[in-house]
Amino acid sequence: MNTMLKTPPDAAIAIPITIPADHSAPTTKVAAEVDCATMSSTKLPRNYDVMHLALRLVCVSASVASVVVMTSAKEKSTISLYGFNLPVYSNWSFSDSFDYLVGVSGAVAVHSFLQLLITSKMLLRKSSAISSRKHAWLIFAGDQVFAYAMMSAGSAASGVTNLNRTGIKHSSLPNFCKPLHSFCDRVAVAIGFGFFSCFLLAMSAVLDVVWLSEY
């Protein structure tokens, strides 16, 4: 009779012990998911790295295009001066401003290509394109320096091109771009690519500032 009375309390004690055990696993899982969500929210979106990579790729293309188009700017023709037809020959290397643009465009292409390789390597490792604040400041400084250098080179080359197209006032020097229109067109396209590279570097600098503001 005593054994029959002890059986119900034993069964009653077993019920509350098993219920918390069933709910402990979901509680731990939810807590882990919340921690992971908190950690992932501190990182910039993946689109940021993709934009960084795309800007570098386009900047390399624009800089190389500027160098290729400028170095192919050569033309021979004749020009009329004081009633005489004189042969003229134009080459991009005759102008220091054009040399400056080619040199800066080449440097920008190398800088952007190196950053493109670094960014691609980081993305393949599934990590951020910028590893630390020092890295971000270094890239920001490089983008700023090359952007201003490209703006300077493009402005200098634009001055020479404008002089070729308009001539010199109050003088008999003609518009050299009339007989050398192909040369002037190529120079104009190269300058356009140079200014476009400057714009892309400025956009890269903006992304660097965004990264620095987040971290």
Side-chain angles (χ1 to χ4, degrees):
M1 185 70 181
N2 293 334
T3 58
M4 294 177 63
L5 293 175
K6 289 181 180 180
T7 303
D10 293 339
I13 293 172
I15 292 173
I17 292 174
T18 56
I19 290 174
D22 294 337
H23 292 280
S24 61
T27 304
T28 305
K29 183 178 180 181
V30 171
E33 290 177 354
V34 171
D35 293 339
C36 293
T38 304
M39 293 175 63
S40 61
S41 63
T42 58
K43 295 182 179 181
L44 288 173
R46 195 66 172 177
N47 293 336
Y48 168 85
D49 295 332
V50 175
M51 289 176 59
H52 212 279
L53 181 67
L55 283 174
R56 297 300 182 188
L57 180 60
V58 178
C59 190
V60 170
S61 302
S63 301
V64 172
S66 179
V67 173
V68 172
V69 174
M70 179 62 80
T71 54
S72 64
K74 304 173 184 179
E75 190 176 5
K76 293 180 179 181
S77 184
T78 58
I79 191 170
S80 179
L81 186 62
Y82 295 111
F84 296 96
N85 291 327
L86 302 177
V88 292
Y89 174 68
S90 185
N91 193 313
W92 67 274
S93 60
F94 295 164
S95 173
D96 294 336
S97 298
F98 295 162
D99 291 340
Y100 181 34
L101 179 62
V102 170
V104 174
S105 297
V108 169
V110 173
H111 166 73
S112 299
F113 183 71
L114 291 177
Q115 295 302 324
L116 177 65
L117 292 179
I118 294 173
T119 304
S120 302
K121 184 178 180 180
M122 292 296 184
L123 290 178
L124 290 176
R125 292 181 177 180
K126 296 183 179 181
S127 59
S128 177
I130 300 178
S131 57
S132 63
R133 287 187 63 87
K134 291 183 178 180
H135 185 199
W137 279 112
L138 181 62
I139 295 177
F140 174 73
D143 290 338
Q144 287 284 84
V145 169
F146 283 112
Y148 283 120
M150 183 62 77
M151 184 182 298
S152 173
S155 300
S158 298
V160 176
T161 303
N162 185 60
L163 183 62
N164 289 336
R165 289 187 181 276
T166 60
I168 301 176
K169 293 182 179 181
H170 310 296
S171 69
S172 58
L173 289 178
N175 181 358
F176 288 101
C177 285
K178 285 184 178 180
L180 302 172
H181 58 87
S182 178
F183 170 80
C184 292
D185 290 342
R186 287 178 178 272
V187 169
V189 172
I191 294 172
F193 277 119
F195 280 120
F196 184 55
S197 299
C198 177
F199 170 76
L200 295 173
L201 289 170
M203 292 300 298
S204 298
V206 171
L207 291 182
D208 298 336
V209 171
V210 171
W211 195 96
L212 288 170
S213 64
E214 291 292 333
Y215 290 87

